[in-house]
Amino acid sequence: MKKFVNDPKNYVAEMLEGVALANPGALRYVPAYNLIMRSDAPNDNKVSIVQGSGSGHEPAHVMEVGKGMLDAACPGDVFAAPPMDYVYETAKLLSSPKGVLLLVNNYTGDRMAFDMGKEMAEADGVRAEILTVNDDVAVQDSTYTVGRRGVAGNFFVIKAVGAAAEQGAELDEVIRVGKKVNDVTRTMGVALTACTPPAKGSPLFELGADEMEFGVGIHGEPGRERRKLKDADAIVDDLLEAVVTDLPYDRGDRVALMINGLGGTPLSELYILFRRAHQRLADRGITVGRSYVNEYCTSLDMAGASLTLVRLDDEIEGLLAAPAEAAVRVF
Amino acid sequence: MKKFVNDPKNYVAEMLEGVALANPGALRYVPAYNLIMRSDAPNDNKVSIVQGSGSGHEPAHVMEVGKGMLDAACPGDVFAAPPMDYVYETAKLLSSPKGVLLLVNNYTGDRMAFDMGKEMAEADGVRAEILTVNDDVAVQDSTYTVGRRGVAGNFFVIKAVGAAAEQGAELDEVIRVGKKVNDVTRTMGVALTACTPPAKGSPLFELGADEMEFGVGIHGEPGRERRKLKDADAIVDDLLEAVVTDLPYDRGDRVALMINGLGGTPLSELYILFRRAHQRLADRGITVGRSYVNEYCTSLDMAGASLTLVRLDDEIEGLLAAPAEAAVRVF
Amino acid sequence: MTMRQTEFVVRVIAETAIENEKYFGDLDSVVGDGDFGYSLARGFEKLLEGWDGLDRTDPGTFLKKCGIVITSRIGGTSGPIWGTGFLRAGAAAGDAAELTAVQVVAMLRAAIEGIKARGQSDVGDKTLLDALVPMTDALASGGLPAAAVAVREAADATAEMVAKRGRAAYTGERSRGSVDAGAMAVAVLVERISETWPKQGDAS
Amino acid sequence: MTMRQTEFVVRVIAETAIENEKYFGDLDSVVGDGDFGYSLARGFEKLLEGWDGLDRTDPGTFLKKCGIVITSRIGGTSGPIWGTGFLRAGAAAGDAAELTAVQVVAMLRAAIEGIKARGQSDVGDKTLLDALVPMTDALASGGLPAAAVAVREAADATAEMVAKRGRAAYTGERSRGSVDAGAMAVAVLVERISETWPKQGDAS
Ligand SMILES: Nc1ncnc2c1ncn2[C@@H]1O[C@H](COP(=O)(O)OP(=O)(O)O)[C@@H](O)[C@H]1O
Ligand SMILES: Nc1ncnc2c1ncn2[C@@H]1O[C@H](COP(=O)(O)OP(=O)(O)O)[C@@H](O)[C@H]1O
Ligand SMILES: [Mg+2]
Ligand SMILES: [Mg+2]
Ligand SMILES: [Mg+2]
Ligand SMILES: [Mg+2]
């Protein structure tokens, strides 16, 4: 296994310790609940923003804790939703008179843990609401499934609700904003390699040298279909077609465009994808108002990328442009 | 080849176009010289800071162009120093009465291109100086070799000279600061996989499942020696031993600690490495004053990491803490 | 089923889940995300860590306490699903000191209803329910040996299904051809209980 | 060597470098960074793009113009090294309309001195100099066929050396056992010139 890992059972705990050590003063770490929280949270005059999810998606979400972003994140093990307890304890610790907003990526396990954790916290007097993120167009929303997955688009929901909460908005208002952003956000992903969960020690699946998985989520599972590998531009065209036609995004729209790396793909390639997407959006009469090229929501070491669009209006653009800090360090 | 790539000959140009498209207004792109520059550069009241190097190290250096960082970067092809022409034209374009500082990572090709480019620019009346970065402890500095390589530590030199220049320092002063930072910066790297240059289309070398390359640079070449893979903590201990004993860093020192990903290693693993390094430094009585965990200087999609220490004093810490912006987008 | 036998069954489940961590994880890797074995193993380890302190007033109380640990400490989909199963089984057992075979079947049916409600799922969705339900039917009509045979057949048969719930559902038609990890885990656990039960019966 | 023959030699070098992009790159992958073939190929492509516009006043001028293109447009170590070689050779040729064999050798010696100065390198450092110098010696004493034989032997012999210059030097002792990419490139180019030269001689 070509990974920096000690005992795989300690993978998440050691990572979280690292995050805490790298952000002394700013973040607090509560090992019992895999909890990373702002040291200055909760704040009585601010809605607390919390997100769980499995680990393995870094920087989502533990490294998105900071001013104008999340107040706390309580990840489960790699690709496993946090146990209900973590959600319950986190909600209690982050309890504010203005309320706690629990952000959930739409997966069976996460939803169950958050539903149950929220119920229990409410029984203890915590004011809590859940907001579900489901931006993935690879999954057809039907009565047969749990519905669309929450993938890299969660960044925009976090950023928007984080900004609104920081500005003092009430819980209802924060939820309105979050729903609004989620409703105009769509993502489609592609994987070039399978990832290797540390506890498994080998890739989750085998992929031929000339194959890719189209329509993947963020848990290393196979996608909608296996396709022949294409060049970068052709892949972008396919991703963009799926995303643009889904909402749909129309001529005259102004959007945020995100190219998100899945973990094993270098920045250089992400910018090559970004270039094409930007050009093709221009061809369609869609203007890129804000650009995001980096890793935001990953699947361990998977080589691959996802493309996200957010339809902007003045309100959303203002929230996305609002100042923010995150644990993931650049300077 | 599990990469997002079109014609490999266009790899660098397409990436640079992407960078320019993602930063409208802020950056200017001059295709003829692979040049990415601040739109507001040159500034008559500021030393211009310029860096070349091969491509494939992103975000170094094109995505480090911005206020308080580089004024321009002119990369060559993947792992190839920029042609002399690029350096010459860049120096002319960035010419300021206060001077141009050319940062060079210490490699034969880069040094030759910058020496020649600088000479030619000077003949055209440009005031230019060269500052060489050589932080890699894997290479023994001897008369037989070109000397130590410049690797991820270049980030700190860029950050410091960028801050000093932004504050209006004169060229001599900027150089003093840069040399000072370079002198207290040391790095050691390890690779778990070989990287795949797009034009080659296959990994540069083969590495057994239980092997790693210890003491690698940033061009995908093999390192000082091939070793048996160890667990993350043991690898950190070896890296740290090499770095700490080199300067050496002593009990009572305050340092910046950087864990730099080489491109294919996810953030989660970098924080696992960071944790151990932080703990071991504490054991040695060395305090971590500033923490850096991310990709700063990569080798395409190579899985691996490097560990950098910078001995801090008030001056260096102030420069590292100064505000800065970079093309690589986080929010 | 006595208190001791209840303890025995839960212990076999826990130990077997821990032993099969890798196998269960590999099953979940085919069209899932590979964490199923890890989640179960870590969760049941936690159950065994606090084993001696669990309230043993009666089988129902014991099962409920197990359910609380599982629900609160196992992550992924499995924590809530398995925890709910244990909680509902415990509740159905009431405060009886010993359970008849009929009561055991009723307990399992309660667990199944709980899982269906929690997972918004049903037989045919390619989940552990597709092993648990046929197993319970067989147990009711033919006892443990029949249940062990039925559960293996049922788990194998999930290979023919298209997943409609859980992570495998995202892959749609591609989920056909491989067995469901949860269903196969139920089969392995029930087989192990069946294998070890006679000895337990003798000993008690 | 006439102007036409000079053009011919440079053209063969350019075309052969472009044809061998992959081979040269693979040689540079063993203990280097794999860009050597790419750098040479792209650089000589640029030379051929502007081919018709190059000043052909005399062989010396022509070689200098080639050197300027190569120095300014090829990246990596190879641009400055190869460009310097062409520039110095051109300078040594002066404005002679045709060069004698002795002048050609002197030109090559000038190129070698230029490369040594530019690269701060010498024979024995495991670089292209270890092919270029023995080749020039053989050319002086035995003409082109002898040079072609000598250069191959010399390039092969670099496998025994430890690199002291260039990227391969970073790997220290590990550089032993594989030939130097630059030296082998020189061998391939000289062999090709030698193979094609007679036809050229006939045609001119
Ligand atoms: N909605 C559901 N209802 C009942 N069982 C389910 C449901 N979703 C998944 N399962 C079962 O859980 C197993 C997967 O568990 P686990 O790996 O913990 O979940 P996750 O998909 O969150 O990684 C599946 O094999 C299936 O048997
Ligand atoms: N200092 C030097 N002097 C002369 N030739 C050199 C020197 N360094 C390297 N070379 C030659 O250049 C070749 C590598 O060229 P290239 O791949 O372009 O360089 P880089 O190491 O910058 O990637 C080597 O095989 C060697 O023959
Ligand atoms: Mg999971
Ligand atoms: Mg190179
Ligand atoms: Mg799973
Ligand atoms: Mg090279």
Side-chain angles (χ1 to χ4, degrees), chain A residues 79-80, chain C residues 33 35 167:
Chain A
F79 296 161
Chain C
D33 58 350
D35 64 332
R167 204 173 297 282

Side-chain angles (χ1 to χ4, degrees), chain B residues 297-318:
Chain B
C297 197
T298 60
S299 300
L300 295 170
D301 54 353
M302 178 177 265
S306 64
L307 184 157
T308 300
L309 294 183
V310 186
R311 184 157 61 207
L312 299 173
D313 62 16
D314 289 347
E315 181 181 37
I316 296 177
E317 203 158 351

